[in-house]
Amino acid sequence: MDASIIVTYRCPMRCKMCDIWNGPTKPDDEFKPELLEKLPKLAAVNVTGGEPFIRDDLDEIVRILFTKTERVVISTSGWFEDRIFKLAEKFPNLGFRVSIEGLSQKNDDLRGQEGGFDRGLRVLLGLRRMGVKDIGFGITVSNNNSPDMLHLYELAKGLNLQFATAAFHNSFYFQKDDNVITNIDEVSANFEELVNRLMKENHPKSWFRALFNVGLINYIRGGKRMLPCEAGSENVFIDPRGEVLPCNGMEEKYWFQSMGNLHDVDDFMTIWNSPLAEDVRAKVAKCPKNCWMIGSASPVMRKYLKKVGPWVVKNKLKSLTGGKICGYCCPQYNVGQDPEQGNLGRSVG
């Protein structure tokens, strides 16, 4: 499975689309690195926050995680430049994803810290100069930064960096319940343009990213997920206090439940195979939300590759012959999911 390790809710940024910084964890409440020794072998791990580099023991966390998987990627604001470069020197195979919400002025306005764009860009260029291979940045699209998404895509393409996208979401994790995209047509059109640019690239990974972005358009426009959410089966989140969670998209007004706490067991699999975990998975199967975030979308896209593959091939051929991909035409795949999943407004508790 894939795992996301939320190491802290402390953060130096003041993002408008995320209130983590307004409800930080206390250092004494955050798990010690050795807790992660209880994890099994994993496909890949994303280390996130808050801002991971705010922790003084991040190098020990990364060291332990590399005993569990060959791929560890840290999501960061890029604020702590020197710490980032120091860790990259220590772990040459470590990956980095820097959050950038627009060009300079737009980014700094949305992330609430003057100079944030400059720091993020310096980090990306510095890591690239160091020879780090797994580097990229991404944008969370909100009401007024979707045009900048296209400029950032071209920047990433020109620098040969990975480029990721996300959209406004509400959840316990973001500590927000008022993120709503109101200029739906404008944002959808910019995402559709991104889809068509991605399909013109030569790398198959970009073609699947195009499909992921079709899923984002579908989410923004209120549609049901193209594939079911299988959070808590294909992926897992661990929060700063050691809680084992199916995802980072839960909202208490619909439902919220932990599978257990790593501090209470000797081995992660005790939690993973428990009746409580099965109860959580049953609730995921009937979850009323239609989140479309990379942490839970990517695993099912890989799992159901035979389902999504024909869309990718068909639309790549269409792009090669000069056709335009319809970003509003989201495929729907029935793989036996519970029809109750995605009925927003219904409690599953």
Side-chain angles (χ1 to χ4, degrees):
M1 77 190 87
D2 291 345
S4 294
I5 313 296
I6 310 168
V7 297
T8 183
Y9 287 144
R10 292 178 284 156
C11 188
M13 312 309 283
R14 298 293 182 263
C15 296
K16 293 182 177 179
M17 61 283 187
C18 174
D19 268 353
I20 279 180
W21 57 272
N22 218 10
T25 42
K26 296 178 181 179
D28 289 345
D29 292 337
E30 296 167 359
F31 65 76
K32 301 295 187 287
E34 53 266 26
L35 187 73
L36 301 178
E37 297 280 10
K38 299 179 181 182
L39 293 176
K41 293 295 183 182
L42 298 163
V45 175
N46 173 238
V47 178
T48 186
E51 171 51 65
F53 283 92
I54 215 164
R55 286 195 57 155
D56 295 330
D57 54 1
L58 185 59
D59 59 341
E60 181 62 11
I61 290 174
V62 170
R63 184 194 68 78
I64 293 172
L65 289 175
F66 267 123
T67 69
K68 306 296 180 179
T69 182
E70 293 183 357
R71 185 164 188 248
V72 180
V73 177
I74 296 183
S75 297
T76 175
S77 64
W79 191 254
F80 297 105
E81 299 174 62
D82 293 342
R83 297 182 192 181
I84 292 171
F85 295 141
K86 184 177 179 180
L87 197 67
E89 288 178 354
K90 191 169 185 178
F91 299 99
N93 293 327
L94 186 60
F96 296 87
R97 294 294 181 273
V98 178
S99 297
I100 297 179
E101 309 309 336
L103 298 181
S104 180
Q105 186 175 349
K106 180 67 67 177
N107 175 82
D108 293 358
D109 176 58
L110 290 174
R111 295 189 68 80
Q113 286 284 22
E114 187 176 350
F117 178 86
D118 291 350
R119 291 197 189 200
L121 186 57
R122 282 199 300 266
V123 163
L124 291 166
L125 295 175
L127 292 171
R128 187 169 176 264
R129 189 170 58 251
M130 291 172 66
V132 178
K133 303 298 183 185
D134 193 355
I135 321 170
F137 63 97
I139 180 174
T140 297
V141 173
S142 52
N143 282 321
N144 59 357
N145 68 340
S146 64
D148 278 22
M149 170 180 65
L150 298 174
H151 298 308
L152 291 176
Y153 162 73
E154 294 298 337
L155 178 63
K157 187 178 176 183
L159 293 173
N160 196 28
L161 301 176
Q162 302 293 317
F163 182 65
T165 51
F168 255 174
H169 279 78
N170 296 309
S171 76
F172 81 93
Y173 172 70
F174 303 109
Q175 300 182 30
K176 292 282 285 184
D177 61 6
D178 59 352
N179 281 334
V180 180
I181 290 178
T182 53
N183 54 336
I184 293 174
D185 290 342
E186 178 188 7
V187 173
S188 297
N190 284 318
F191 268 114
E192 184 178 59
E193 174 62 24
L194 178 64
V195 166
N196 278 273
R197 294 188 193 185
L198 285 166
M199 288 303 296
K200 291 182 183 300
E201 291 192 26
N202 295 324
H203 201 292
K205 188 173 184 178
S206 297
W207 312 339
F208 284 94
R209 281 182 175 157
L211 179 56
F212 173 78
N213 282 282
V214 169
L216 281 177
I217 297 173
N218 177 64
Y219 161 75
I220 291 165
R221 302 186 76 82
K224 277 200 170 188
R225 291 171 58 110
M226 71 171 76
L227 287 166
C229 178
E230 296 186 5
S233 298
E234 299 299 314
N235 62 280
V236 67
F237 281 75
I238 298 174
D239 85 352
R241 298 178 178 89
E243 296 292 338
V244 178
L245 306 171
C247 70
N248 64 341
M250 291 181 288
E251 290 183 75
E252 290 190 4
K253 67 180 179 181
Y254 300 118
W255 73 286
F256 179 93
Q257 190 170 340
S258 168
M259 294 178 168
N261 194 295
L262 267 182
H263 289 101
D264 299 333
V265 297
D266 293 328
D267 181 78
F268 171 87
M269 297 308 294
T270 303
I271 293 175
W272 196 244
N273 295 323
S274 69
L276 180 56
E278 286 304 310
D279 182 56
V280 169
R281 292 184 187 108
K283 290 180 177 177
V284 169
K286 294 181 180 293
C287 181
K289 297 189 69 178
N290 281 301
C291 309
W292 191 251
M293 293 185 278
I294 196 68
S296 56
S298 178
V300 291
M301 288 179 69
R302 291 198 305 267
K303 180 178 179 178
Y304 298 109
L305 184 61
K306 291 183 179 179
K307 292 284 187 179
V308 302
W311 184 97
V312 171
V313 173
K314 174 184 175 182
N315 283 280
K316 178 58 182 175
L317 292 173
K318 187 175 184 179
S319 179
L320 286 171
T321 55
K324 183 177 180 181
I325 289 82
C326 175
Y328 301 75
C329 306
C330 184
Q332 297 290 324
Y333 302 104
N334 187 342
V335 294
Q337 62 264 45
D338 192 311
E340 288 297 300
Q341 190 180 79
N343 288 342
L344 194 63
R346 177 182 51 81
S347 173
V348 299

